[in-house]
Amino acid sequence: MLRIWLVGLALVAGCAYVASSAALDRAAAEAASASLPSDERLDALLAAHDWTGLADALSHAKTNDEAARRLDWLSAKLVAGGGALLGFLYSRDLWSAGQQIKSDDPMGDLRVTAGLFTLYTFMLIAIDGAMCEDQSAPSRRVDQLLEANQPILQFLKAQRAKIKAKVIDLALTIERKTAPLRKDDDFLCRDGLDQILAGLEGGQVKDVAPPPGGSGKTYEVTAPPDYKPKFLPPSAYEPEQRKAREAMRASLQKLIE
């Protein structure tokens, strides 16, 4: 589900945001009303590509033990080749935990670890996003990551050069190790212009109230239930992935310089 701003007759795609992003915001802002589901249930939501359901389920950690289990589950799935949504969630969870338990040792500070997985998530978007036929989708994910994790990146920017270099090295190492395990990332390739068009042509469109300070008309566009993002063949995306990897150290350095 997308909300699309219309100013006059022009569709401003850059102002659209995705339901999964809204679910993340709700999860951070609202108290959970149920317990964290079992790992098996979380696994099932992940396998079904139910991104909104997964983000909502993970928000239901009411106790310290459940919060620790959520972190453990996200960590295990990420290192097993999980996709970008898990990176969004894990980095934000680490940041929240680090704000509660601050450390004088940067390499033991969960906020630095949150920075590490923010960089790793950026790498997933840049490298695995090359698989998406609709390149507006990973482009939007980059914007979402940089906006949502701005405090994390600002914290990382304030660290010593030696710490930042270490974090970049670790992010590059993790990406190399998970690369053979990662598959087509359904979340990463969703919510771009192709999905918007699919919603306008065969989905549902309804008026909704604009957010505070907004102007013009706002529409909620829901793609057809059977919508699935399209992926390019390896012959098309592998050269782009190589280019992205070659430039990645410089890209990460620029993010936190």
Side-chain angles (χ1 to χ4, degrees), residues 78-136:
L78 268 176
V79 298
L85 175 62
L86 303 184
F88 273 87
L89 294 167
Y90 190 49
S91 59
R92 288 177 60 167
D93 271 8
L94 288 168
W95 177 254
S96 296
Q99 290 289 77
Q100 300 297 319
I101 310 171
K102 297 178 181 179
S103 172
D104 294 330
D105 174 16
M107 296 313 296
D109 193 326
L110 290 178
R111 294 172 296 178
V112 173
T113 310
L116 163 64
F117 279 95
T118 296
L119 297 187
Y120 175 68
T121 305
F122 177 85
M123 295 178 69
L124 292 185
I125 298 170
I127 295 171
D128 293 351
M131 301 180 183
C132 305
E133 182 176 288
D134 177 9
Q135 282 296 295
S136 70

Side-chain angles (χ1 to χ4, degrees), residues 181-241:
L181 306 174
R182 301 197 306 268
K183 309 298 182 183
D184 292 348
D185 191 338
D186 177 89
F187 167 80
L188 183 52
C189 298
R190 282 184 177 272
D191 302 314
L193 292 177
D194 182 69
Q195 185 168 336
I196 294 174
L197 291 174
L200 292 172
E201 293 172 0
Q204 296 181 352
V205 181
K206 65 179 181 179
D207 292 326
V208 295
S215 60
K217 285 202 167 188
T218 306
Y219 295 93
E220 190 172 82
V221 179
T222 304
D226 60 351
Y227 174 83
K228 293 182 180 180
K230 301 179 182 69
F231 296 91
L232 296 171
S235 60
Y237 70 71
E238 286 178 350
E240 298 304 315
Q241 287 187 320

Side-chain angles (χ1 to χ4, degrees), residues 154-174:
Q154 289 296 329
F155 181 80
L156 203 53
K157 288 179 181 181
Q159 302 305 309
R160 300 192 309 273
K162 182 178 180 180
I163 297 299
K164 290 192 282 189
K166 181 66 172 177
V167 168
I168 288 174
D169 285 343
L170 287 171
L172 293 168
T173 298
I174 295 170

